[in-house]
Amino acid sequence: MNDYTGKVVALTGAGSGLGKEVADRFGAHGAKLSLVDYNEERIKTTEREFKEKGYDVIVFAFDCTDLDKVQEWARTTFLKYGHVDFLFNNVGITSPGRLWNIPLSDWKRTFDINVFAMVNGIHAFMPYFATTDREIHICNTASDAGLSINGLFAPYNASKSAVVSVSESLAFQCQTYYPHIKTHVWCPGASPTDICYGREQDLVDKSDPYYSSGEFRELDKILKDGIAAGYPVSEAIDGFFEEFEKDYFYIRPAKHEDHLIQYKIDRILDKQRPVPVHLR
Protein backbone atom coordinates (compact mmCIF):
# COMPACT_ATOMS: atom_id res chain seq x y z
CA MET A 1 0.00 0.00 0.00
CA ASN A 2 0.93 3.63 -0.47
CA ASP A 3 1.94 5.89 2.37
CA TYR A 4 -1.10 8.04 3.28
CA THR A 5 0.56 10.16 5.97
CA GLY A 6 -1.20 13.51 6.18
CA LYS A 7 -4.11 12.42 4.00
CA VAL A 8 -7.66 12.71 5.36
CA VAL A 9 -10.30 10.03 4.81
CA ALA A 10 -14.03 10.68 5.36
CA LEU A 11 -15.98 7.42 5.34
CA THR A 12 -19.53 6.31 6.14
CA GLY A 13 -20.56 2.86 7.30
CA ALA A 14 -17.32 2.66 9.26
CA GLY A 15 -18.50 0.76 12.32
CA SER A 16 -18.22 -2.70 10.80
CA GLY A 17 -17.60 -4.72 7.67
CA LEU A 18 -15.71 -3.49 4.65
CA GLY A 19 -15.98 0.16 5.68
CA LYS A 20 -14.23 -0.47 8.97
CA GLU A 21 -11.54 -2.55 7.28
CA VAL A 22 -10.83 0.12 4.67
CA ALA A 23 -10.56 2.75 7.41
CA ASP A 24 -8.23 0.47 9.38
CA ARG A 25 -5.90 0.06 6.41
CA PHE A 26 -5.82 3.81 5.78
CA GLY A 27 -5.15 4.50 9.46
CA ALA A 28 -2.34 1.95 9.56
CA HIS A 29 -0.68 3.79 6.67
CA GLY A 30 -0.80 7.25 8.18
CA ALA A 31 -4.17 8.69 7.18
CA LYS A 32 -6.38 10.78 9.46
CA LEU A 33 -9.90 9.42 9.75
CA SER A 34 -13.36 11.00 9.99
CA LEU A 35 -15.79 8.11 10.37
CA VAL A 36 -19.57 7.73 10.50
CA ASP A 37 -21.92 4.94 11.50
CA TYR A 38 -25.58 5.14 12.50
CA ASN A 39 -24.93 2.76 15.42
CA GLU A 40 -23.34 4.81 18.19
CA GLU A 41 -22.09 1.86 20.22
CA ARG A 42 -20.46 0.33 17.17
CA ILE A 43 -18.69 3.49 16.01
CA LYS A 44 -17.50 4.25 19.55
CA THR A 45 -16.00 0.77 19.72
CA THR A 46 -14.26 1.42 16.40
CA GLU A 47 -12.96 4.74 17.71
CA ARG A 48 -11.57 3.06 20.83
CA GLU A 49 -9.86 0.31 18.82
CA PHE A 50 -8.35 2.76 16.35
CA LYS A 51 -7.07 5.13 19.00
CA GLU A 52 -5.40 2.19 20.73
CA LYS A 53 -3.57 1.63 17.45
CA GLY A 54 -2.44 5.25 17.46
CA TYR A 55 -4.68 6.50 14.64
CA ASP A 56 -5.82 10.13 14.41
CA VAL A 57 -9.61 9.59 14.29
CA ILE A 58 -12.87 11.40 14.96
CA VAL A 59 -16.23 9.62 14.83
CA PHE A 60 -19.88 10.54 14.38
CA ALA A 61 -23.09 8.59 15.01
CA PHE A 62 -26.01 9.54 12.78
CA ASP A 63 -28.19 8.35 9.92
CA CYS A 64 -26.66 9.38 6.58
CA THR A 65 -30.12 9.85 5.07
CA ASP A 66 -30.28 13.09 7.09
CA LEU A 67 -28.67 15.73 4.86
CA ASP A 68 -28.33 18.24 7.70
CA LYS A 69 -26.29 15.74 9.71
CA VAL A 70 -24.10 14.89 6.71
CA GLN A 71 -23.46 18.58 6.06
CA GLU A 72 -22.53 19.12 9.71
CA TRP A 73 -20.13 16.15 9.46
CA ALA A 74 -18.48 17.73 6.41
CA ARG A 75 -18.15 21.10 8.16
CA THR A 76 -16.72 19.56 11.31
CA THR A 77 -14.25 17.44 9.37
CA PHE A 78 -12.92 20.42 7.41
CA LEU A 79 -12.69 22.51 10.58
CA LYS A 80 -10.75 19.72 12.28
CA TYR A 81 -8.38 18.72 9.49
CA GLY A 82 -8.49 21.57 6.97
CA HIS A 83 -9.07 19.32 3.97
CA VAL A 84 -10.38 15.92 2.85
CA ASP A 85 -8.54 13.79 0.30
CA PHE A 86 -10.82 10.76 0.12
CA LEU A 87 -14.60 10.59 0.51
CA PHE A 88 -16.16 7.15 0.79
CA ASN A 89 -19.95 6.94 0.53
CA ASN A 90 -20.19 3.43 1.85
CA VAL A 91 -23.39 2.79 3.82
CA GLY A 92 -25.66 0.04 2.56
CA ILE A 93 -28.40 -2.46 3.44
CA THR A 94 -30.17 -5.22 1.53
CA SER A 95 -33.55 -6.96 1.52
CA PRO A 96 -34.66 -10.23 -0.12
CA GLY A 97 -38.07 -11.35 -1.27
CA ARG A 98 -40.64 -11.37 -4.02
CA LEU A 99 -40.60 -7.73 -5.03
CA TRP A 100 -44.38 -7.38 -4.81
CA ASN A 101 -44.36 -8.70 -1.23
CA ILE A 102 -41.46 -6.67 0.15
CA PRO A 103 -43.01 -3.84 2.19
CA LEU A 104 -42.85 -0.47 0.50
CA SER A 105 -41.17 0.87 3.63
CA ASP A 106 -38.32 -1.59 3.00
CA TRP A 107 -38.04 -0.47 -0.63
CA LYS A 108 -37.89 3.16 0.45
CA ARG A 109 -35.40 2.55 3.25
CA THR A 110 -33.11 0.59 0.92
CA PHE A 111 -33.04 3.43 -1.62
CA ASP A 112 -32.73 6.08 1.09
CA ILE A 113 -29.64 4.39 2.52
CA ASN A 114 -28.01 2.96 -0.57
CA VAL A 115 -28.64 5.87 -2.96
CA PHE A 116 -29.70 9.05 -1.22
CA ALA A 117 -27.12 8.77 1.57
CA MET A 118 -24.50 8.71 -1.21
CA VAL A 119 -26.09 11.74 -2.89
CA ASN A 120 -26.12 13.51 0.48
CA GLY A 121 -22.39 12.88 0.83
CA ILE A 122 -21.73 14.32 -2.61
CA HIS A 123 -23.90 17.37 -1.93
CA ALA A 124 -22.26 18.01 1.45
CA PHE A 125 -18.62 17.71 0.38
CA MET A 126 -18.59 19.08 -3.18
CA PRO A 127 -18.77 22.76 -2.12
CA TYR A 128 -15.46 22.22 -0.29
CA PHE A 129 -13.90 20.10 -3.01
CA ALA A 130 -14.74 22.72 -5.65
CA THR A 131 -12.66 25.40 -3.91
CA THR A 132 -9.33 23.56 -4.03
CA ASP A 133 -7.04 22.21 -6.72
CA ARG A 134 -5.61 19.36 -4.62
CA GLU A 135 -6.34 15.88 -5.95
CA ILE A 136 -9.46 14.39 -4.36
CA HIS A 137 -11.04 10.96 -4.70
CA ILE A 138 -14.72 10.15 -4.26
CA CYS A 139 -15.50 6.44 -3.99
CA ASN A 140 -19.10 5.20 -3.90
CA THR A 141 -19.77 1.65 -2.74
CA ALA A 142 -22.04 -0.25 -5.12
CA SER A 143 -21.84 -4.01 -5.64
CA ASP A 144 -21.43 -6.58 -8.37
CA ALA A 145 -25.19 -6.80 -7.84
CA GLY A 146 -25.40 -3.41 -9.52
CA LEU A 147 -23.68 -4.84 -12.61
CA SER A 148 -25.36 -8.24 -12.78
CA ILE A 149 -28.78 -9.95 -12.53
CA ASN A 150 -30.13 -11.54 -9.36
CA GLY A 151 -33.86 -11.95 -8.97
CA LEU A 152 -33.82 -12.49 -5.22
CA PHE A 153 -32.95 -9.00 -4.02
CA ALA A 154 -34.76 -6.50 -6.24
CA PRO A 155 -34.49 -3.41 -3.98
CA TYR A 156 -30.79 -4.03 -3.36
CA ASN A 157 -29.93 -4.73 -7.00
CA ALA A 158 -31.93 -1.75 -8.22
CA SER A 159 -30.38 0.60 -5.68
CA LYS A 160 -26.85 -0.59 -6.41
CA SER A 161 -27.47 -0.18 -10.14
CA ALA A 162 -28.43 3.40 -9.31
CA VAL A 163 -25.16 3.85 -7.38
CA VAL A 164 -23.23 2.69 -10.45
CA SER A 165 -25.17 5.05 -12.71
CA VAL A 166 -24.77 8.05 -10.40
CA SER A 167 -21.05 7.33 -10.10
CA GLU A 168 -20.70 7.20 -13.89
CA SER A 169 -22.48 10.55 -14.19
CA LEU A 170 -20.27 11.98 -11.45
CA ALA A 171 -17.18 10.80 -13.34
CA PHE A 172 -18.35 12.53 -16.52
CA GLN A 173 -19.17 15.78 -14.77
CA CYS A 174 -16.05 15.95 -12.61
CA GLN A 175 -13.85 15.50 -15.67
CA THR A 176 -15.68 18.43 -17.26
CA TYR A 177 -15.91 20.84 -14.33
CA TYR A 178 -13.45 19.67 -11.65
CA PRO A 179 -10.74 17.48 -13.19
CA HIS A 180 -8.84 17.39 -9.88
CA ILE A 181 -11.65 15.20 -8.48
CA LYS A 182 -11.23 11.51 -9.34
CA THR A 183 -14.24 9.24 -8.95
CA HIS A 184 -14.59 5.51 -8.38
CA VAL A 185 -17.37 2.99 -7.91
CA TRP A 186 -16.50 0.02 -5.71
CA CYS A 187 -18.25 -3.28 -6.45
CA PRO A 188 -16.82 -5.60 -3.77
CA GLY A 189 -18.63 -8.87 -4.47
CA ALA A 190 -20.00 -11.17 -1.78
CA SER A 191 -17.93 -11.11 1.40
CA PRO A 192 -18.92 -12.06 4.97
CA THR A 193 -19.92 -8.71 6.50
CA ASP A 194 -22.87 -7.32 8.47
CA ILE A 195 -24.75 -5.94 5.46
CA CYS A 196 -27.57 -8.49 5.67
CA TYR A 197 -28.14 -7.89 9.38
CA GLY A 198 -29.03 -4.20 9.34
CA ARG A 199 -32.73 -4.97 8.94
CA GLU A 200 -32.69 -6.82 12.22
CA GLN A 201 -31.71 -3.76 14.22
CA ASP A 202 -33.81 -0.63 13.78
CA LEU A 203 -34.08 0.03 10.05
CA VAL A 204 -37.53 -1.44 9.33
CA ASP A 205 -40.86 -2.04 11.03
CA LYS A 206 -40.24 -5.47 12.51
CA SER A 207 -43.95 -5.77 13.36
CA ASP A 208 -44.78 -6.11 9.65
CA PRO A 209 -46.01 -9.71 9.13
CA TYR A 210 -43.74 -10.03 6.10
CA TYR A 211 -40.72 -10.44 8.35
CA SER A 212 -42.20 -13.51 10.03
CA SER A 213 -43.31 -15.10 6.76
CA GLY A 214 -41.84 -18.35 5.43
CA GLU A 215 -40.90 -16.54 2.22
CA PHE A 216 -38.80 -13.98 4.04
CA ARG A 217 -37.10 -16.54 6.28
CA GLU A 218 -36.24 -18.78 3.32
CA LEU A 219 -34.82 -16.03 1.14
CA ASP A 220 -33.11 -14.34 4.07
CA LYS A 221 -31.29 -17.61 4.76
CA ILE A 222 -30.18 -17.82 1.11
CA LEU A 223 -28.85 -14.26 1.40
CA LYS A 224 -26.99 -14.88 4.65
CA ASP A 225 -25.57 -18.19 3.47
CA GLY A 226 -24.34 -16.52 0.27
CA ILE A 227 -22.73 -13.68 2.18
CA ALA A 228 -21.12 -16.06 4.67
CA ALA A 229 -19.68 -18.12 1.79
CA GLY A 230 -18.15 -15.11 0.07
CA TYR A 231 -14.46 -14.55 -0.33
CA PRO A 232 -12.56 -13.38 2.79
CA VAL A 233 -12.82 -9.73 3.82
CA SER A 234 -9.01 -9.47 3.86
CA GLU A 235 -8.88 -10.47 0.19
CA ALA A 236 -11.63 -8.00 -0.66
CA ILE A 237 -9.67 -5.19 1.00
CA ASP A 238 -6.37 -6.24 -0.59
CA GLY A 239 -8.10 -6.22 -3.96
CA PHE A 240 -9.71 -2.88 -3.29
CA PHE A 241 -6.46 -1.09 -2.53
CA GLU A 242 -4.67 -2.73 -5.46
CA GLU A 243 -7.25 -1.36 -7.89
CA PHE A 244 -7.86 1.94 -6.08
CA GLU A 245 -4.17 2.78 -6.20
CA LYS A 246 -4.15 2.03 -9.93
CA ASP A 247 -6.87 4.71 -10.25
CA TYR A 248 -9.43 2.28 -11.68
CA PHE A 249 -12.95 3.63 -11.95
CA TYR A 250 -14.80 0.30 -11.66
CA ILE A 251 -13.10 -1.29 -8.66
CA ARG A 252 -13.99 -4.96 -8.91
CA PRO A 253 -11.67 -7.24 -6.94
CA ALA A 254 -14.05 -10.25 -7.02
CA LYS A 255 -12.82 -11.67 -10.32
CA HIS A 256 -14.58 -14.96 -9.58
CA GLU A 257 -17.86 -13.09 -10.19
CA ASP A 258 -16.95 -11.95 -13.71
CA HIS A 259 -19.25 -14.56 -15.21
CA LEU A 260 -22.26 -12.96 -13.50
CA ILE A 261 -21.57 -9.65 -15.21
CA GLN A 262 -20.83 -11.33 -18.53
CA TYR A 263 -24.20 -13.12 -18.28
CA LYS A 264 -26.01 -9.78 -18.04
CA ILE A 265 -24.01 -8.30 -20.92
CA ASP A 266 -24.83 -11.33 -23.07
CA ARG A 267 -28.54 -11.11 -22.23
CA ILE A 268 -28.60 -7.41 -23.12
CA LEU A 269 -26.83 -7.91 -26.44
CA ASP A 270 -28.99 -10.93 -27.28
CA LYS A 271 -32.14 -9.08 -26.14
CA GLN A 272 -33.20 -12.05 -24.01
CA ARG A 273 -34.99 -12.29 -20.66
CA PRO A 274 -32.95 -13.42 -17.67
CA VAL A 275 -33.39 -17.10 -16.83
CA PRO A 276 -34.78 -17.62 -13.29
CA VAL A 277 -32.27 -19.03 -10.81
CA HIS A 278 -33.18 -19.96 -7.22
CA LEU A 279 -36.69 -18.55 -7.59
CA ARG A 280 -39.97 -20.27 -6.72
Side-chain angles (χ1 to χ4, degrees):
M1 274 184 62
N2 293 340
D3 180 6
Y4 291 99
T5 299
K7 301 295 186 180
V8 178
V9 176
L11 188 149
T12 64
S16 64
L18 297 179
K20 181 178 180 179
E21 295 299 323
V22 166
D24 195 4
R25 294 284 185 95
F26 271 117
H29 288 78
K32 302 172 184 179
L33 308 172
S34 179
L35 308 178
V36 176
D37 199 275
Y38 80 97
N39 185 307
E40 184 172 8
E41 180 180 357
R42 196 160 59 191
I43 196 64
K44 288 294 186 182
T45 298
T46 297
E47 178 186 32
R48 194 161 51 248
E49 292 173 1
F50 284 3
K51 284 187 173 179
E52 288 174 357
K53 294 180 177 183
Y55 302 168
D56 186 340
V57 56
I58 54 174
V59 301
F60 304 80
F62 61 82
D63 187 331
C64 292
T65 64
D66 186 333
L67 177 59
D68 289 340
K69 295 289 181 61
V70 179
Q71 289 175 324
E72 180 59 29
W73 170 48
R75 283 193 293 271
T76 304
T77 300
F78 274 88
L79 283 172
K80 169 72 172 177
Y81 293 123
H83 66 276
V84 169
D85 300 282
F86 306 104
L87 171 64
F88 286 82
N89 296 302
N90 177 65
V91 292
I93 60 170
T94 185
S95 184
R98 301 178 195 177
L99 62 90
W100 52 85
N101 288 341
I102 296 172
L104 293 181
S105 60
D106 212 346
W107 274 91
K108 184 177 185 303
R109 186 63 177 168
T110 300
F111 270 79
D112 282 347
I113 292 175
N114 292 359
V115 181
F116 286 100
M118 169 193 63
V119 174
N120 285 346
I122 295 167
H123 270 256
F125 280 82
M126 280 298 289
Y128 300 96
F129 293 164
T131 62
T132 181
D133 58 1
R134 67 185 297 130
E135 183 173 287
I136 292 164
H137 292 259
I138 300 174
C139 184
N140 301 319
T141 301
S143 169
D144 275 349
L147 301 170
S148 59
I149 299 169
N150 187 319
L152 294 178
F153 317 117
Y156 181 73
N157 280 41
S159 66
K160 290 304 186 179
S161 295
V163 172
V164 172
S165 184
V166 170
S167 300
E168 291 166 342
S169 295
L170 183 64
F172 268 88
Q173 294 183 12
C174 283
Q175 289 176 77
T176 300
Y177 300 108
Y178 302 114
H180 65 286
I181 301 175
K182 304 291 187 69
T183 58
H184 313 262
V185 60
W186 181 19
C187 301
S191 192
T193 69
D194 293 340
I195 189 169
C196 56
Y197 299 98
R199 299 182 312 281
E200 298 170 3
Q201 298 179 38
D202 62 354
L203 302 183
V204 294
D205 179 6
K206 288 181 285 189
S207 67
D208 191 298
Y210 173 73
Y211 298 110
S212 59
S213 69
E215 173 189 316
F216 175 79
R217 290 196 300 271
E218 177 187 1
L219 296 179
D220 195 51
K221 184 177 186 304
I222 292 173
L223 169 62
K224 290 175 180 175
D225 288 349
I227 292 293
Y231 71 140
V233 169
S234 60
E235 291 184 20
I237 302 304
D238 288 343
F240 165 77
F241 277 101
E242 180 182 350
E243 298 194 356
F244 180 73
E245 292 176 350
K246 290 178 179 176
D247 196 28
Y248 288 176
F249 174 73
Y250 298 99
I251 298 176
R252 288 199 54 257
K255 298 297 182 277
H256 58 284
E257 295 185 358
D258 283 359
H259 66 288
L260 301 176
I261 296 167
Q262 188 63 53
Y263 174 77
K264 180 171 184 175
I265 292 170
D266 291 344
R267 288 279 144 173
I268 292 170
L269 294 178
D270 293 340
K271 305 178 184 178
Q272 298 299 308
R273 294 182 186 87
V275 175
V277 179
H278 301 307
L279 285 177
R280 295 183 178 181

